[in-house]
Amino acid sequence: MGPMKAFPAARGMALEDSVEGFWERFAAHAQEWPIAPEPFGSPILELLTPSGILHAFDRGFIPAPRSPVRVVLHGVVESAEPAEAGGISHLGGGRYELRGRVVRALERGFYLFAVGSPEVLFVLASSQPLEAEQPLAVRLAPPLMAFRP
């Protein structure tokens, strides 16, 4: 495996028009996960997934009412390289590396990415094309985000 290929910034690429708009576009890929209790008003959701604990910036308008919560996990790809093993690594701060596969392209610049078994799904934005079904390690720009209704 060679060095990761860094992608240029997604200049001019609109990632979301609004929280509601993003949810409407990608709600079909939402999953329900238990959350750990957080202080009231915390902007971070601690999601308990089969691939590990994820700390995601909560894009909901009101605090998550109770566990479990239905979310679309969203990240922006900074770099990618071929990889074999699946899993999620927390790299510190809001940075994550995901090792999984591209399920399919969703729309221009957006891809459905699956990690582990059972699968944890992510809607990833990438300035470069990602090939479907190719196993990849992708590094995400912080923060990992969780959109919810």
Side-chain angles (χ1 to χ4, degrees), residues 15 19 21 38 41 48 56 58 68 77 80 85 97 103 108 117 132 138 149:
L15 299 180
V19 172
E38 295 292 327
L48 311 174
D58 184 5
V77 176
E97 180 180 274
V103 176
R108 185 178 174 265
S117 179
V138 295

Side-chain angles (χ1 to χ4, degrees), residues 104-134:
R104 69 176 183 274
L106 296 174
E107 57 183 60
R108 185 178 174 265
F110 289 89
Y111 301 86
L112 185 62
F113 195 82
V115 174
S117 179
E119 292 180 330
V120 179
L121 299 177
F122 297 82
V123 173
L124 300 182
S126 178
S127 62
Q128 299 296 309
L130 300 177
E131 194 173 322
E133 295 303 322
Q134 179 174 342

Side-chain angles (χ1 to χ4, degrees), residues 7-149:
F7 294 162
R11 283 188 215 106
M13 186 176 162
L15 299 180
E16 63 182 76
D17 52 352
S18 68
V19 172
E20 298 90 350
F22 193 92
W23 174 260
E24 288 172 11
R25 284 166 53 203
F26 300 115
H29 310 294
Q31 292 178 295
E32 194 170 90
W33 302 116
I35 56 173
E38 295 292 327
F40 185 76
S42 171
I44 304 298
L45 288 178
E46 190 172 351
L47 300 160
L48 311 174
T49 76
S51 293
I53 296 171
L54 297 176
H55 295 95
F57 183 70
D58 184 5
R59 296 302 308 270
F61 285 117
I62 59 170
R66 64 182 107 88
S67 184
V69 65
R70 189 165 170 78
V71 296
V72 172
L73 293 171
H74 171 58
V76 177
V77 176
E78 278 189 331
S79 60
E81 69 178 350
E84 300 204 13
I88 299 172
S89 298
H90 184 233
L91 304 176
R95 291 189 179 283
Y96 284 92
E97 180 180 274
L98 311 176
R99 291 174 310 286
R101 68 184 175 84
V102 175
V103 176
R104 69 176 183 274
L106 296 174
E107 57 183 60
R108 185 178 174 265
F110 289 89
Y111 301 86
L112 185 62
F113 195 82
V115 174
S117 179
E119 292 180 330
V120 179
L121 299 177
F122 297 82
V123 173
L124 300 182
S126 178
S127 62
Q128 299 296 309
L130 300 177
E131 194 173 322
E133 295 303 322
Q134 179 174 342
L136 292 175
V138 295
R139 288 199 179 157
L140 303 180
L144 176 64
M145 292 177 274
F147 287 82
R148 59 187 176 82

